[in-house]
Amino acid sequence: KFPAESLDRPYIVTAIGDSLTSDRESYAKILNHLWRDDPKRKIIDCAVSGDTTHHIINRFYSTVLNKSFDWAIIFLVTNDCRELADEAHVSIISFEEYKRNINYITESLLKRNKKIIHVTIPYVDNERLREFFPDANWRYDKKRINITNDFIRKLSNRYKTKLADLSREIDNFKGDVLEPDGIHLNQQGQILLCEMLLKILP
């Protein structure tokens, strides 16, 4: 979808997320590169590596709500699903905390008349993760990721937001979409997400 159709007025997209957005060749960087010669389209990267929904709320007014934008892409939660790889399996953020936080973020944006795209999160390869971060002693529970993605789909439906169901897109894709660390999207994974977003954004 590039060159894109001309717009009647400019619009700005805010990317809210973690290292899947802020690090490496992320979808935000790719789209800004595609739009580099288009003065009417721009993405502001508000994502911070390592952020959970708790971190987002802690800085929500200073990093998101004080900016002028039209669309918000909410692609986070991966870090919320992290847990210790021992017998306790203590999670970074409980599922109940996550639901409270993401509801607040969504409602706050909608009250300010922002258009929202919720993005489901990709799987994590725990074996590659352990090899890449041998001293970290954390893992990602597949069941937690699945119920989180189900909640994102229901949340999007309830609030009538747009949904980029990256998780299902990856399930139907026949190639590898992860970096060697087993958690971050590689170039192919980011391109898949870009293609989905371009079908939604004006």
Side-chain angles (χ1 to χ4, degrees):
K1 191 184 173 181
F2 191 84
E5 297 176 2
S6 61
L7 297 173
D8 293 333
R9 65 178 185 86
Y11 75 89
I12 297 174
V13 181
T14 290
I16 303 171
D18 48 36
S19 59
L20 275 73
T21 297
S22 68
D23 288 355
R24 302 165 175 81
E25 189 180 358
S26 75
Y27 78 87
K29 294 182 177 69
I30 294 171
L31 292 184
N32 260 336
H33 179 74
L34 286 175
W35 295 340
R36 65 191 182 280
D37 298 323
D38 187 344
K40 291 188 176 182
R41 291 174 169 88
K42 180 182 178 182
I43 290 186
I44 301 172
D45 185 355
C46 292
V48 178
S49 180
D51 262 9
T52 63
T53 53
H54 174 76
H55 293 117
I56 297 290
I57 286 178
N58 192 44
R59 296 190 299 267
F60 202 42
Y61 283 84
S62 61
T63 60
V64 178
L65 295 184
N66 67 344
K67 293 178 170 56
S68 176
F69 60 94
D70 305 282
W71 286 77
I73 298 171
I74 303 177
F75 181 34
L76 41 88
V77 190
T78 299
N79 291 322
D80 289 46
C81 296
R82 189 166 71 226
E83 63 179 32
L84 293 176
D86 57 21
E87 64 280 358
H89 299 298
V90 175
S91 60
I92 301 300
I93 298 286
S94 73
F95 186 57
E96 291 304 313
E97 286 179 290
Y98 155 69
K99 290 194 293 184
R100 179 201 64 189
N101 293 345
I102 200 69
N103 274 312
Y104 170 78
I105 292 168
T106 301
E107 290 173 0
S108 296
L109 291 168
L110 290 175
K111 285 177 183 177
R112 290 162 175 80
N113 297 315
K114 309 302 181 185
K115 297 178 181 178
I116 298 174
I117 303 175
H118 284 104
V119 183
T120 55
I121 59 174
Y123 66 93
V124 175
D125 187 328
N126 284 306
E127 290 187 8
R128 278 196 263 178
L129 188 71
R130 280 194 299 271
E131 291 178 3
F132 206 86
F133 301 106
D135 300 321
N137 195 42
W138 36 264
R139 64 185 292 277
Y140 292 81
D141 180 48
K142 183 177 181 180
K143 181 180 178 182
R144 170 69 184 268
I145 290 176
N146 287 339
I147 64 172
T148 296
N149 281 331
D150 285 341
F151 182 81
I152 292 172
R153 295 177 186 114
K154 293 174 183 176
L155 177 82
S156 178
N157 183 63
R158 183 167 77 250
Y159 287 108
K160 307 303 179 187
T161 66
K162 301 295 184 181
L163 177 68
D165 202 340
L166 179 63
S167 175
R168 284 186 176 153
E169 190 75 10
I170 289 173
D171 286 344
N172 295 325
F173 185 71
K174 301 305 181 184
D176 186 8
V177 298
L178 297 179
E179 293 278 358
D181 62 11
I183 183 170
H184 293 95
L185 292 173
N186 61 20
Q187 185 181 57
Q188 182 59 67
Q190 294 286 359
I191 288 173
L192 282 177
L193 178 53
C194 285
E195 290 173 344
M196 299 182 74
L197 295 173
L198 286 171
K199 291 177 181 178
I200 299 171
L201 292 167

